[in-house]
Amino acid sequence: MKILVIHGPNLNLLGTREPEVYGSLTMADINDSLRLLAKELGVEVEFFQSNFEGELVEAVQKAASAYDGIVINPAAFTHTSVALRDAFSGVGIPFVEVHISNVHAREHFRRTSYLSDIAIGVIAGLGIESYLGGFKGLVGKLRE
Ligand code: DQA
């Protein structure tokens, strides 16, 4: 089984970006922990980050033929991107949506997600544990 982890815009800044909201771990730290978890679970994992909506759309389209599922933190595109939603609907790859912060306890606009209702599951507010839990949950669901 092969899983793609996608980080959306500004997540390349993790570690220095609003640490009071997003903590001090970098994207590389998160990826390292996911690599360890993937090994424990006996699955393959690859990573992709982009600040560009079109690149994320293309990554989802291409993933459909190369991966069994996606863990995605769509970051700001969560709240804006019909294109990303249409990419997931269009290729039908199973995915889990994760967020480091609790998007429901922040500004009102962060409560809207264009992806949540077509995701297998959604985890928000648990920091790196959102990614780890989302990854484990996705693998579990795909193995059912
Ligand atoms: C985020 C929450 C989004 O609202 C925000 O735009 C991000 C990160 C999170 O992981 O908490 O960039 O997805």
Side-chain angles (χ1 to χ4, degrees), residues 3 6 13 24-25 30 35 41 57 63 83 86 89 92 95 98 100:
I3 306 295
I6 298 181
L13 299 179
S24 57
L25 294 180
I30 292 173
R35 246 180 235 111
L41 297 174
V57 166
D86 285 350
S89 300
F95 74 99
V98 302
I100 294 166

Side-chain angles (χ1 to χ4, degrees), residues 20-139:
E20 66 288 357
V21 178
Y22 298 113
S24 57
L25 294 180
T26 64
M27 192 175 73
D29 293 333
I30 292 173
N31 290 352
D32 284 347
S33 295
L34 285 167
R35 246 180 235 111
L36 281 179
L37 178 60
K39 208 171 174 190
E40 269 171 38
L41 297 174
V43 301
E44 287 179 63
V45 63
E46 285 176 10
F47 302 93
F48 179 73
Q49 190 277 330
S50 177
N51 295 320
F52 297 93
E53 187 175 14
E55 285 188 0
L56 294 166
V57 166
E58 284 189 350
V60 170
Q61 289 181 5
K62 284 184 194 147
S65 56
Y67 299 90
D68 299 289
I70 293 177
V71 173
I72 184 166
N73 183 345
F77 290 136
T78 309
H79 320 299
T80 62
S81 184
V82 176
L84 200 51
R85 177 196 177 86
D86 285 350
F88 276 109
S89 300
V91 299
I93 189 166
F95 74 99
V96 170
E97 174 188 340
V98 302
H99 299 281
I100 294 166
S101 66
N102 180 357
V103 285
H104 303 286
R106 299 181 61 195
E107 299 96 326
H108 199 265
F109 67 83
R110 292 188 205 275
R111 290 184 208 164
T112 299
S113 168
Y114 282 89
L115 298 174
S116 295
D117 65 305
I118 56 166
I120 288 186
V122 182
I123 305 185
L126 303 179
I128 189 175
E129 297 298 334
S130 294
Y131 280 90
L132 297 173
F135 191 93
K136 205 168 168 189
L138 177 62
V139 171

